[in-house]
Amino acid sequence: MIENDYLLAWGAYAVAALGCLLVWFRMTGWMWRYLREPLRVLVAVLLFTPTIVDPARELFAPAIAISALDLAFKVGNNAWRAVADLALYGIIAFVLYLLFVLIRWPLESWWKRRRAEAAPAQDEGDEPTLREVLARERSPSGARVEPRL
């Protein structure tokens, strides 16, 4: 395989993996946030983790493909290296995600408190709605109030 073929294959794989990731994002869009985000990180790690195939020529391939092919056809001994790479990149990705969550959590609570404090101030200056005006003008017998023309 020449250098151009190698880069073309990785380019095609990157486009396909981005398409798969986009589909996965759409499939998990309905889920609870703290379940959806780790699943998205997991699929991103599975799709984008490379592993070395030929150390002499520094050729890489997707780790999930290498481990699947080595286990299915029982050829080569790259499966354990691919699994180790998946585990390493997975740990790194989840630690970074955990740091992101730990930074985001206090910021979100601060933002919610700020919006809750600002909400009553906005409600005080608003004019009453038509329903509230009609409720105040309603006669004691409960009869309907018709508008005047």
Side-chain angles (χ1 to χ4, degrees):
M1 176 180 268
I2 61 174
E3 186 69 24
N4 289 339
D5 292 341
Y6 180 71
L7 292 176
L8 183 63
W10 265 110
Y13 179 79
V15 169
L18 283 173
C20 289
L21 192 63
L22 178 65
V23 168
W24 184 251
F25 272 47
R26 298 284 294 176
M27 286 175 55
T28 58
W30 62 272
M31 291 181 178
W32 181 53
R33 176 184 186 176
Y34 295 108
L35 174 64
R36 174 182 63 222
E37 290 177 351
L39 285 175
R40 288 177 175 178
V41 169
L42 176 69
V43 169
V45 166
L46 288 175
L47 287 174
F48 294 110
T49 299
T51 189
I52 194 155
V53 178
D54 188 6
R57 293 181 18 195
E58 293 184 11
L59 293 178
F60 290 88
I64 192 74
I66 293 299
S67 49
L69 290 173
D70 279 359
L71 291 175
F73 297 118
K74 295 180 178 42
V75 294
N77 56 357
N78 293 327
W80 288 112
R81 183 180 301 141
V83 169
D85 286 342
L86 280 170
L88 177 69
Y89 285 110
I91 289 171
I92 291 170
F94 277 105
V95 165
L96 290 175
Y97 171 70
L98 186 62
L99 287 173
F100 171 72
V101 168
L102 290 175
I103 291 170
R104 181 181 63 186
W105 199 353
L107 290 175
E108 282 182 346
S109 62
W110 171 78
W111 185 255
K112 284 180 185 177
R113 280 194 314 266
R114 183 175 173 208
R115 284 197 307 189
E117 290 170 358
Q122 291 175 353
D123 291 341
E124 292 171 0
D126 290 342
E127 294 181 9
T129 63
L130 181 60
R131 180 174 285 160
E132 293 169 348
V133 170
L134 290 176
R136 278 189 247 141
E137 292 179 0
R138 189 167 286 216
S139 65
S141 64
R144 186 173 162 182
V145 177
E146 296 293 331
R148 295 183 193 151
L149 296 177

